[in-house]
Amino acid sequence: MPEELMGAVVARSNLVRALRRVRQNQGSPGIDGMTVDELPTYLRAHWPGIREALLAGTYQPQAVRRHQIPKAGGGVRQLGIPTVLDRFIQQALLQVLQPLFDPTFSEHSHGFRPGRCAHDAVRAAQRYIQEGRRWVVDVDLAQFFDRVNHDVLMGKLAHRIGDRRLLRIIRRYLEAGIMVQGVVVERYEGTPQGGPLSPLLANVLLDEVDQALERRGHAFVRYADDCNVYVQSERAGRRVMDALRGLYAKLRLRINEDKSAVARVWGRQFLGFSFWTAPGKVINRRVAPKALQAMKERVRQLTARNGGRSIGRVVAELRRYLVGWRTYFRLADTPGVFADVDKWLHRRLRALHLKHWKRGTTVYRERRARGVSDPMAGMAARFSRNWWRVAGHRALHVALPTAYFDGLGVPRLAAR
């Protein structure tokens, strides 16, 4: 029964699942410094009291630790890192609430839902474009997670949840302060990114907009706070944008007018992808230019020639980053672009090798040892201070072929 949900939250089977998930996800400590590995021992000693407080409706979460990460397009994203204990409790809450809410969400919503992913959203957008909807209403919400209105959200939750204790703990999580330079700053709006519960709460709030778009028969895709509506004309797009402004205003949310637009689909990106027309008028996917630029910038940082790091360490860091990047963008239909990036990456690594070999006789000796002819090695050594120029020389391709980087474990983006 809805009024007995807190009992399901503290049920042993639910808690075992929650602890397993928190340990799998790892993550950094909150303001108390407790690590994920220390959580089981802490729970063995303190869980009876915590359970009693949860069932009595008196449990008080700790403040979250502020953590800022740079955005690809500039600025920073504010994260709030809860303590591992609060992450554990939020995960237990999520596992009870998700089955209650998720079946009622729109089929057009793909973010943070079981059995759905960003690729599903991108494929749905591609289908709409293939059907002839070549205009998109691309909506970006201004600081969405920082501006969620607590009263509006709690009102929506109260319609479905009868257990007042559970509503009380969610409200307290929303209102938990943020630790900034040792001082707890109170929060009156927003749901900080970083806790397991925040994505579900975002979907609960935004589902009202989804349902309104469905009733009006629109073709749209939403992933978290990213929403694209696909239409057949600019005029139709303007009408939809005006309607969305009103729908979001009812939720006390505001559209970022600088980043939102009614535009041709070819000039916009969605979840890091953009679209193009292949021969036969087939709509294909590609990595959006901004996403490709952001990846190259990250690779430049990882292969910087002034860090004093070994080749092995650089390759290990590259591998951690590129394997995940390749897995996400494998949906792109542009193997030629990936092959060009592989060549560019190998050239950067050759330049890094040159810097390690220094210049002059050391460079010459290394190339000769790797099978480069004497005249070719001498010619390349004369320009060894211009690392990038020499890295493109045929001598370096002989000394450090693609197979060499394969052996080091450098991922190939063009490989399927």
Side-chain angles (χ1 to χ4, degrees):
M1 296 292 289
E3 64 273 10
E4 298 174 353
L5 290 176
M6 188 57 79
V9 170
V10 299
R12 179 176 175 78
S13 59
N14 188 54
L15 297 174
V16 169
R17 288 173 52 217
L19 181 59
R20 185 183 305 119
R21 177 56 63 90
V22 170
R23 298 184 73 176
Q24 288 173 348
N25 292 342
Q26 287 295 311
S28 57
I31 63 171
D32 61 356
M34 185 191 303
T35 66
V36 171
D37 293 335
E38 294 170 334
L39 179 60
T41 301
Y42 181 87
L43 289 175
R44 280 193 289 271
H46 298 90
W47 178 249
I50 297 170
R51 181 180 186 277
E52 182 179 345
L54 287 169
L55 290 174
T58 60
Y59 179 79
Q60 182 62 53
Q62 296 189 66
V64 300
R65 178 172 62 84
R66 185 174 72 169
H67 178 64
Q68 298 177 327
I69 58 174
K71 292 183 179 180
V76 295
R77 175 174 287 107
Q78 300 282 355
L79 299 184
I81 309 300
T83 64
V84 293
L85 173 61
D86 282 324
R87 295 209 294 272
F88 166 68
I89 295 173
Q90 284 194 35
Q91 181 64 37
L93 289 166
L94 174 66
Q95 290 168 180
V96 170
L97 293 176
Q98 188 103 50
L100 178 65
F101 282 95
D102 194 80
T104 66
F105 288 152
S106 167
E107 287 299 306
H108 300 271
S109 168
H110 297 272
F112 309 108
R113 298 182 61 188
R116 293 168 178 260
C117 66
H119 287 177
D120 297 327
V122 173
R123 290 189 184 98
Q126 181 185 15
R127 286 195 301 272
Y128 292 140
I129 299 170
Q130 188 68 66
E131 291 168 359
R133 298 176 175 88
R134 304 300 169 86
W135 288 83
V136 61
V137 183
D138 186 355
V139 174
D140 181 272
L141 294 178
Q143 298 177 306
F144 168 70
F145 282 94
D146 295 329
R147 293 187 173 177
V148 169
N149 183 278
H150 293 172
D151 292 333
V152 173
L153 174 57
M154 291 307 302
K156 294 185 176 302
L157 291 169
H159 282 303
R160 304 283 297 278
I161 300 174
D163 193 323
R164 312 306 297 179
R165 298 166 299 178
L166 197 147
L167 290 171
R168 196 175 297 124
I169 186 64
I170 293 176
R171 167 74 81 165
R172 287 175 179 165
Y173 273 122
L174 290 173
E175 295 177 348
I178 300 177
M179 181 73 77
V180 181
Q181 296 180 343
V183 178
V184 176
V185 179
E186 294 184 352
R187 185 171 65 237
Y188 301 101
E189 63 178 359
T191 172
Q193 299 179 73
L197 203 54
S198 291
L200 175 65
L201 298 181
N203 279 334
V204 169
L205 183 65
L206 294 175
D207 187 60
E208 180 175 318
V209 176
D210 296 344
Q211 301 299 338
L213 290 173
E214 276 194 3
R215 288 193 298 271
R216 300 174 190 187
H218 289 301
F220 71 98
V221 187
R222 183 174 68 80
Y223 190 93
D225 56 325
D226 290 324
C227 182
N228 278 9
V229 185
Y230 295 89
V231 295
Q232 294 181 335
S233 69
E234 182 179 13
R235 183 178 179 183
R238 297 292 177 194
R239 289 198 301 267
V240 172
M241 181 66 87
D242 289 341
L244 284 172
R245 289 191 184 96
L247 290 169
Y248 286 123
K250 291 180 181 178
L251 301 176
R252 312 281 182 88
L253 298 172
R254 183 170 60 84
I255 290 177
N256 185 331
E257 300 291 348
D258 292 334
K259 295 184 178 181
S260 302
V262 176
R264 288 283 191 178
V265 294
W266 321 118
R268 307 297 292 184
Q269 68 172 20
F270 182 56
L271 301 179
F273 290 88
S274 57
F275 303 93
W276 59 287
T277 306
K281 297 185 178 180
V282 175
I283 304 301
N284 279 352
R285 304 170 294 259
R286 66 180 177 183
V287 182
K290 286 185 178 179
L292 194 60
Q293 180 182 351
M295 182 273 284
K296 284 191 169 184
E297 182 56 37
R298 179 60 179 150
V299 169
R300 288 188 183 98
Q301 294 170 1
L302 292 175
T303 57
R305 296 188 290 276
N306 56 2
R309 296 163 300 153
S310 69
I311 293 295
R313 181 179 171 187
V314 170
V315 169
E317 292 176 354
L318 273 174
R319 185 169 183 81
R320 279 195 295 271
Y321 173 68
L322 289 177
V323 167
W325 193 93
R326 182 180 65 186
T327 299
Y328 180 75
F329 284 106
R330 71 180 187 274
L331 208 63
D333 305 304
T334 50
V337 172
F338 289 152
D340 289 342
V341 173
D342 283 337
K343 294 176 183 176
W344 171 82
L345 171 59
H346 291 170
R347 185 171 179 176
R348 287 199 63 83
L349 289 173
R350 290 184 182 107
L352 184 59
H353 267 286
L354 283 170
K355 181 68 181 293
H356 283 194
W357 293 343
K358 304 303 181 185
R359 57 191 176 90
T361 58
T362 303
V363 176
Y364 177 83
R365 185 171 59 250
E366 287 286 350
R367 289 174 186 155
R368 290 293 292 131
R370 293 172 183 271
V372 179
S373 68
D374 188 78
M376 191 183 298
M379 183 181 300
R382 286 198 297 272
F383 299 99
S384 59
R385 283 178 293 181
N386 190 333
W387 313 120
W388 182 251
R389 179 179 176 182
V390 178
H393 194 282
R394 188 158 59 95
L396 266 292
H397 285 258
V398 174
L400 301 171
T402 298
Y404 170 74
F405 296 114
D406 290 342
L408 288 179
V410 179
R412 281 209 217 179
L413 300 182
R416 288 287 182 178

